[in-house]
Amino acid sequence: MDSDEVLLSAWRGGDAKAGRTLFARHVDGVTRFFFSKVQTGVEDLVQRTFLALLERTEAPEAGVRAYLFGIARKLLLRRFRDEYRSPIDAGTVSVADLRTSPSDIVDRRQHLQILYRALQALPLDLQIALELFYWESLTAAEIGAVLDLPEGTVRSRLRRGRELLAAQMQSLPAATVAADLETWARELRERVGR
């Protein structure tokens, strides 16, 4: 099995099979990354992330996976900036803060609302750090490359993010949260084709 770096080099050299292999290896994680923050345009954002990975010429210092999520984060912030026509401070603004229309909330499925409410109440960079750590199994150093932060700062943010998420989840009914987490995970797996 070739490393991500070998596949990326081959893909950039014109090997379409290497590109398909690299895409298949990471598409689920990138899709989850966007799906937990936006409800529309996920497929486009995923495609743009992989296209940017292909088109860039520099070698990823912290590994292809961390580099890929760094690209995804920048595309997400650009989308929010364009959508809300103002700069977004991902260290303090949460996805919930960005939702301005009540119809956005009403249209979402009820069982996803509880988990989203808890995650989206966190500042965006804390949400991203927690998701990358727990769902994508990135190390603190790799997350640091994504967020452009030192590893120690990432560890502090992970700790703070866990505390804030726990507080958010405690404010929700326990039985509803457990059922919603299971349903959310199942639907996410179905959405990304697992």
Side-chain angles (χ1 to χ4, degrees):
M1 179 180 263
D2 291 327
S3 71
D4 288 348
E5 289 73 20
V6 169
L7 290 172
L8 178 58
S9 179
W11 189 23
R12 286 177 174 170
D15 184 346
K17 183 178 177 186
R20 286 191 299 275
T21 302
L22 191 62
F23 179 82
R25 192 175 284 176
H26 297 293
V27 68
D28 288 353
V30 174
T31 300
R32 281 190 299 269
F33 176 86
F34 287 118
F35 184 66
S36 66
K37 294 162 200 67
V38 297
Q39 282 68 54
T40 61
V42 170
E43 293 82 9
D44 179 58
L45 287 166
V46 170
Q47 288 177 3
R48 289 175 44 208
T49 300
F50 280 94
L51 181 61
L53 176 67
L54 174 63
E55 290 176 342
R56 293 190 179 173
T57 57
E58 67 269 8
E61 292 179 21
V64 171
R65 192 162 188 223
Y67 188 68
L68 190 62
F69 282 112
I71 293 169
R73 176 180 177 265
K74 288 176 183 168
L75 288 172
L76 177 70
L77 293 176
R78 184 177 308 140
R79 174 178 165 161
F80 284 149
R81 183 193 66 227
D82 293 348
E83 188 174 329
Y84 297 99
R85 303 197 194 295
S86 65
I88 302 297
D89 179 359
T92 59
V93 173
S94 70
V95 172
D97 292 338
L98 297 173
R99 299 284 177 233
T100 56
S101 168
S103 65
D104 287 339
I105 296 169
V106 172
D107 289 341
R108 295 187 332 189
R109 294 182 180 156
Q110 184 176 0
H111 61 273
L112 292 177
Q113 289 179 352
I114 293 173
L115 181 59
Y116 283 152
R117 191 177 311 127
L119 277 172
Q120 293 176 345
L122 302 178
L124 186 57
D125 274 349
L126 292 181
Q127 178 185 357
I128 290 171
L130 287 172
E131 290 173 356
L132 293 178
F133 185 77
Y134 287 106
W135 295 337
E136 303 307 328
S137 301
L138 265 64
T139 65
E142 291 171 324
I143 296 169
V146 172
L147 299 176
D148 197 25
L149 294 171
E151 182 178 348
T153 303
V154 169
R155 291 184 188 283
S156 296
R157 289 196 180 181
L158 286 170
R159 187 171 36 260
R160 181 171 171 242
R162 283 190 294 267
E163 291 168 359
L164 290 174
L165 185 60
Q168 288 294 322
M169 298 301 280
Q170 285 177 357
S171 69
L172 303 170
T176 305
V177 171
D180 288 343
L181 285 171
E182 185 176 317
T183 303
W184 181 80
R186 185 182 66 249
E187 286 198 358
L188 183 58
R189 284 191 302 273
E190 290 170 2
R191 182 170 175 88
V192 296
R194 281 187 159 178

